[in-house]
Amino acid sequence: MNSMYEFGLAEAIREEPLEWLLKISPIFGSHGLGIHGMGYYLKALELIIAEALPDEIKEAASRLPMNNPTLIADFYDMLFNQVPIFKFLPVQETDPYFFSVLALCQSENTQGVGRYVLDMIGNNLLPGKQLLVTMIQSLAFSFQLNSKHSYYLQNIYVKVESEKDLETVKREIGPLLSQMRITTIAVQNARDILRVDHLNPEQKRIMIMENIRLLVQKREAEGPAQIFNEFHKSLEKIITEQTINKVKEKLVPYVSRYPSTFDRYIFYELQKLTGLMPSQFIAKRDARHLKRIVTHYYLFKKNLCDDMEHNPTGRHIYTKLLKGFVTEGTKTIPTMGILTLLNLIEKNEIVDETHIFKAVQSLLPNIQIESGSVIIERSAVNERFIYLEVSKMDKSSFSFEELQKIRDNIYKEIRLRIQGIMNPIFMPRNEEEVIKNILMLSREIRLVSDLPEVMISFYKQTPTALTFTVLLVRINTKQSIPFDTLIERLSSHVKVVESEKKLLGKLRKKHIKEALILTLETDKKQYLRKDYSIDFYAARSHLFQNLVKVFGELRDFNGGMITKQNEALHELKKQLLAANIQNDFIVDQFYYSLSPRHLRTLIPESILTKATLVLFELLEYAFDEKPCFFKSQIIDNHLLITVGAINPSIKEYLQPILDKTDFDTLEVMTAHVTILDTTCLTYVFYPNFKDRFDEILKAFMHQIRLWSDVISRGITL
């Protein structure tokens, strides 16, 4: 200080005090002065600084004794306490119109202020217009006579289109510069607070918000809400950058210690994932939690690539539960993150956060998705990465038992919910077929006392609805309510798209036969199953029940078997519920795979229930020990055999047993269904073959041994 001061004193003999005090040097060192033209550049910036300083600073400089180091140090402290300084300077007030905006602030903890100034002036100064920045002057520097503090200067030159725009700028620039100054101070103070290690995140947040409150109180007339919003945006960016840097620091040891598992490509994955994360998401999570997301994603992706190389047609799903928390005000809410990476086998498959949430919700009903916690990565066509966080409705913690239940079942639930997109069918209604069916229904009514006949046929589906064609034929008696009146009574859940009435003649030349043709539409959301396929039978059944409520008792011409099957299925689900099994999706798949179809309603209830229970036992079987599940039992003189395997070729080995034996297809019931990549086969032999049960069992066991031998030798089937 003394040597520099003595040098400056000699210089001050020839210069004004302010010019002497404002001499600057770039902070990258004295060697920067050797850059071509740097001296002229520094001189220009010194003049800009002099013009931007408040009048009290200039006056203090003019009265400053040049031979007093203490007062000179006080001058620089006074200047330091004045920054940040934002100043507007008209450059040219004739066409072309220019103005400049200068920003002078501390260089420490104000990173990004240059981009902030450009964004605020270029995009926010004139509403609806983006201003052209024609030149930028900037430098990080310190004063030659006082290197205690370092500063950053940026001066931008902006062009406007007209004198009117320039007048608008002059009118609006004052409040905007005040807002920018407050935001810059708040960001700088926030960065100071965030560097304090002994404070927890909530304490830091409280200190930061108190700091903002005090700043805004000083300038309430200038729009505190807008200042708050601007500051929050800036603060989120600060915390985001700081958190990402901490994550990088935590990843470095992994790369050095486990080079075979983690390579430098993990930093690319970090950049990609954090680019998908909203700033608010990163700001609310600590670096350790983000590190866990990145490392698991990286490891899962490596494993998925290996699995798809060895088994490109198989389904591969990786999941990880990550306990965490988010802060709302003074409350800390426990959360559970669900990280999922899976492959898409078909081009029309869809998986997003809704499917994952529904899978978890089926295991833990009282949960909700945390706002802003969803991250989806879709860069690979045949892969999907999904991360979301859930919390309980009552904000309580997740118990060990709840987490274990999710870990044990999440794979199955996600696997069942992968949705396939089906192309809509364009199928105009065949009027000839409609007339033919109406005449068929008309012939069924031979007596006045006969019930009205109804035929319900699927017509089409849209993204939101199912549409059915309904044909109804009845005898019009004196007590009959007009069709128009009845149509108005249909449930609000059923929309009448089109209606048409036809007269069909008279029964015994006395009683009028009439037909009603309806096109009815119903919301399909309530009929979606776990995998987002549509339960057509449920939709049709509800529609028929709605018609019965309005038109009275009806005879379902083409739904008698459907009704019987629904009754049998409903009774089966009641029996399973008593056994504490409730999985309608799997039960439906199994029931509707039973063949021949007409036996579904004739098979004894005890056999059907037992066959379904064994199916669930099969789905829990560990195929690592043995490649095949086999179970046989005799129930009510029926032989029930259940076989399961991961390799679907088992079915080809068992089919010859049925082909080579003179079984009547009416006396053997089979079911083949694939659930969670497991081939499930069920065979029910009726009592007629009781004397051949031993022969049948030996044949099954022989074929299974042949298949197992081929599998054990690694022969591709």
Side-chain angles (χ1 to χ4, degrees):
M1 171 70 185
N2 291 336
S3 61
M4 180 60 74
Y5 171 73
E6 291 168 0
F7 170 77
L9 182 60
E11 290 293 314
I13 296 173
R14 300 187 301 271
E15 298 178 354
E16 293 294 327
L18 185 61
E19 186 178 355
W20 165 57
L21 291 167
L22 297 186
K23 284 189 174 294
I24 62 175
S25 296
I27 62 171
F28 50 79
S30 58
H31 62 276
L33 297 174
I35 299 175
H36 182 68
M38 177 58 75
Y40 296 105
Y41 185 67
L42 295 178
K43 186 65 177 176
L45 294 184
E46 290 167 2
L47 294 174
I48 292 173
I49 295 171
E51 191 171 2
L53 290 179
D55 292 337
E56 59 267 26
I57 296 290
K58 295 178 183 178
E59 185 179 349
S62 66
R63 294 186 284 103
L64 189 66
M66 293 182 293
N67 58 353
N68 191 326
T70 302
L71 292 179
I72 290 176
D74 291 342
F75 167 80
Y76 284 113
D77 288 340
M78 181 173 62
L79 173 59
F80 184 77
N81 292 329
Q82 288 288 323
V83 295
I85 296 171
F86 291 87
K87 191 159 186 177
F88 165 77
L89 297 171
V91 176
Q92 185 167 309
E93 301 192 54
T94 58
D95 193 14
Y97 302 94
F98 284 90
F99 68 90
S100 73
V101 173
L102 175 139
L104 177 63
C105 60
Q106 303 174 29
S107 64
E108 188 178 5
N109 292 335
T110 55
Q111 300 91 334
V113 69
R115 295 193 303 271
Y116 173 64
V117 171
L118 288 171
D119 180 63
M120 293 297 290
I121 299 300
N123 299 326
N124 297 329
L125 185 53
L126 287 181
K129 290 187 178 181
Q130 189 168 6
L131 300 181
L132 175 64
V133 177
T134 59
M135 186 172 73
I136 302 175
Q137 296 170 300
S138 63
L139 184 71
F141 67 91
S142 61
F143 292 104
Q144 291 183 4
L145 296 184
N146 188 295
S147 58
K148 177 182 176 182
H149 305 295
S150 57
Y151 301 84
Y152 176 77
L153 169 71
Q154 177 171 285
N155 190 38
I156 64 173
Y157 293 85
V158 185
K159 181 182 179 181
V160 291
E161 297 176 354
S162 64
E163 184 179 3
K164 181 180 178 181
D165 284 346
L166 185 60
E167 291 302 318
T168 304
V169 168
K170 290 179 181 179
R171 187 171 60 253
E172 301 292 336
I173 193 70
L176 184 63
L177 293 182
S178 297
Q179 175 187 331
M180 291 166 63
R181 184 175 189 275
I182 292 175
T183 302
T184 303
I185 295 173
V187 169
Q188 185 176 340
N189 293 343
R191 281 182 169 146
D192 286 334
I193 295 170
L194 290 171
R195 287 186 174 184
V196 180
D197 293 331
H198 67 271
L199 297 177
N200 63 41
E202 182 59 19
Q203 289 172 325
K204 292 179 181 180
R205 189 193 69 81
I206 293 172
M207 290 181 66
I208 290 170
M209 298 310 295
E210 178 65 14
N211 182 266
I212 301 172
R213 187 184 67 80
L214 294 174
L215 285 171
V216 172
Q217 273 185 350
K218 298 177 182 178
R219 306 300 293 268
E220 281 188 344
E222 296 172 7
Q226 188 176 4
I227 294 172
F228 263 113
N229 293 337
E230 287 298 327
F231 173 74
H232 275 298
K233 292 178 184 177
S234 302
L235 180 60
E236 283 178 2
K237 290 180 181 178
I238 297 167
I239 298 176
T240 297
E241 293 170 1
Q242 187 184 53
T243 306
I244 292 173
N245 288 334
K246 286 184 178 179
V247 175
K248 289 179 181 177
E249 293 172 3
K250 291 179 179 292
L251 290 177
V252 169
Y254 285 78
V255 177
S256 58
R257 292 178 190 173
Y258 313 105
S260 59
T261 305
F262 296 95
D263 54 32
R264 299 196 64 81
Y265 190 72
I266 193 172
F267 294 105
Y268 167 76
E269 298 295 352
L270 169 65
Q271 182 180 357
K272 182 169 66 174
L273 276 185
T274 52
L276 297 171
M277 297 174 182
S279 297
Q280 191 176 17
F281 177 90
I282 299 176
K284 288 186 176 181
R285 275 88 183 162
D286 59 21
R288 179 176 175 273
H289 190 79
L290 296 178
K291 181 209 69 176
R292 295 178 69 197
I293 295 175
V294 174
T295 52
H296 281 97
Y297 169 70
Y298 177 78
L299 293 174
F300 284 174
K301 190 150 189 174
K302 288 183 70 174
N303 292 338
L304 180 61
C305 290
D306 292 341
D307 288 346
M308 290 178 64
E309 184 176 347
H310 292 96
N311 184 11
T313 60
R315 177 74 67 192
H316 310 291
I317 303 175
Y318 299 89
T319 60
K320 179 68 178 178
L321 303 184
L322 302 176
K323 292 184 69 174
F325 64 89
V326 293
T327 304
E328 288 186 4
T330 58
K331 295 182 179 179
T332 299
I333 300 172
T335 62
M336 177 179 63
I338 302 100
L339 187 151
T340 306
L341 181 68
L342 53 83
N343 67 319
L344 303 178
I345 299 175
E346 303 293 340
K347 292 182 178 179
N348 65 338
E349 288 181 338
I350 291 181
V351 185
D352 59 25
E353 72 277 10
T354 304
H355 303 84
I356 306 300
F357 175 70
K358 292 290 185 184
V360 180
Q361 193 180 42
S362 68
L363 303 169
L364 205 62
N366 61 330
I367 59 171
Q368 60 187 357
I369 296 180
E370 274 298 309
S371 176
S373 71
V374 177
I375 304 165
I376 302 180
E377 204 274 308
R378 297 186 175 93
S379 59
V381 177
N382 59 343
E383 296 175 14
R384 190 71 75 247
F385 169 76
I386 302 167
Y387 177 83
L388 60 92
E389 291 177 357
V390 299
S391 61
K392 287 188 176 181
M393 298 287 192
D394 59 4
K395 311 301 182 186
S396 62
S397 300
F398 293 90
S399 67
F400 173 80
E401 292 75 15
E402 290 170 334
L403 293 174
Q404 194 59 45
K405 180 181 179 182
I406 295 173
R407 289 189 187 101
D408 292 342
N409 297 281
I410 189 67
Y411 173 86
K412 296 178 183 178
E413 293 297 331
I414 293 176
R415 176 72 177 81
L416 292 172
R417 282 175 170 77
I418 296 174
Q419 180 181 357
I421 296 296
M422 302 297 292
N423 294 324
I425 299 173
F426 176 71
M427 186 178 64
R429 191 168 72 188
N430 188 337
E431 295 299 329
E432 183 179 349
E433 186 176 354
V434 169
I435 297 300
K436 180 175 135 183
N437 289 331
I438 288 176
L439 293 176
M440 188 188 305
L441 295 177
S442 177
R443 286 195 292 270
E444 292 293 317
I445 298 179
R446 298 184 178 90
L447 301 173
V448 177
S449 59
D450 285 347
L451 293 174
E453 296 280 342
V454 66
M455 179 182 289
I456 304 174
S457 306
F458 174 73
Y459 178 28
K460 66 178 181 180
Q461 71 165 313
T462 67
T464 58
L466 297 174
T467 307
F468 292 86
T469 298
V470 176
L471 307 179
L472 190 148
V473 176
R474 71 174 184 179
I475 299 293
N476 189 344
T477 64
K478 293 180 180 179
Q479 293 77 28
S480 297
I481 301 174
F483 276 145
D484 291 339
T485 303
L486 292 172
I487 290 173
E488 293 176 358
R489 297 178 183 177
L490 283 170
S491 167
S492 59
H493 298 295
V494 178
K495 178 182 177 182
V496 180
V497 179
E498 187 179 349
S499 64
E500 182 182 354
K501 294 175 288 185
K502 290 183 181 294
L503 294 177
L504 304 178
K506 294 183 179 180
L507 177 67
R508 297 175 184 174
K509 300 181 180 181
K510 182 178 180 182
H511 304 287
I512 297 174
K513 280 186 183 181
E514 60 180 356
L516 177 65
I517 306 170
L518 290 173
T519 303
L520 301 180
E521 190 177 89
T522 181
D523 185 7
K524 70 180 184 183
K525 190 180 298 182
Q526 56 188 317
Y527 308 115
L528 293 178
R529 305 190 332 157
K530 282 185 178 182
D531 63 348
Y532 289 81
S533 60
I534 296 170
D535 190 341
F536 168 78
Y537 291 128
R540 188 190 185 283
S541 175
H542 289 169
L543 184 61
F544 177 72
Q545 292 169 11
N546 206 304
L547 291 171
V548 170
K549 287 180 181 178
V550 173
F551 293 94
E553 190 176 358
L554 302 171
R555 180 173 177 266
D556 191 351
F557 181 82
N558 63 336
M561 183 64 73
I562 294 174
T563 302
K564 290 292 184 183
Q565 288 183 358
N566 284 339
E567 291 173 356
L569 180 59
H570 178 70
E571 190 60 35
L572 171 62
K573 290 179 179 178
K574 280 178 59 178
Q575 297 297 324
L576 294 174
L577 189 60
N580 200 28
I581 292 179
Q582 188 175 7
N583 194 321
D584 291 352
F585 182 73
I586 292 178
V587 175
D588 289 350
Q589 277 190 290
F590 173 69
Y591 182 79
Y592 288 112
S593 71
L594 291 169
S595 178
R597 297 178 182 179
H598 65 275
L599 290 182
R600 293 173 188 169
T601 58
L602 301 177
I603 185 172
E605 183 182 299
S606 58
I607 307 296
L608 185 58
T609 303
K610 189 62 180 178
T612 312
L613 290 172
V614 177
L615 173 70
F616 280 96
E617 183 182 340
L618 160 60
L619 293 175
E620 297 296 327
Y621 181 74
F623 289 98
D624 296 337
E625 301 174 3
K626 292 183 180 180
C628 181
F629 173 93
F630 176 81
K631 188 168 186 177
S632 65
Q633 49 194 320
I634 296 176
I635 305 169
D636 295 340
N637 294 322
H638 291 70
L639 174 61
L640 172 63
I641 296 176
T642 305
V643 182
I646 298 297
N647 194 319
S649 62
I650 184 68
K651 183 185 178 184
E652 299 172 12
Y653 272 70
L654 299 181
Q655 186 59 37
I657 299 175
L658 302 180
D659 295 339
K660 294 178 181 178
T661 314
D662 55 341
F663 291 126
D664 188 336
T665 56
L666 298 179
E667 296 173 325
V668 179
M669 174 167 275
T670 63
H672 171 211
V673 61
T674 300
I675 302 173
L676 301 173
D677 300 324
T678 302
T679 298
C680 308
L681 302 168
T682 300
Y683 303 89
V684 179
F685 295 89
Y686 278 65
N688 297 17
F689 300 100
K690 187 176 181 180
D691 57 342
R692 298 176 60 185
F693 282 175
D694 289 340
E695 174 191 342
I696 294 169
L697 282 173
K698 288 178 181 179
F700 269 88
M701 295 176 70
H702 174 72
Q703 290 299 106
I704 290 173
R705 277 196 297 269
L706 288 178
W707 176 83
S708 299
D709 183 55
V710 172
I711 292 294
S712 64
R713 286 186 283 138
I715 300 176
T716 303
L717 300 175

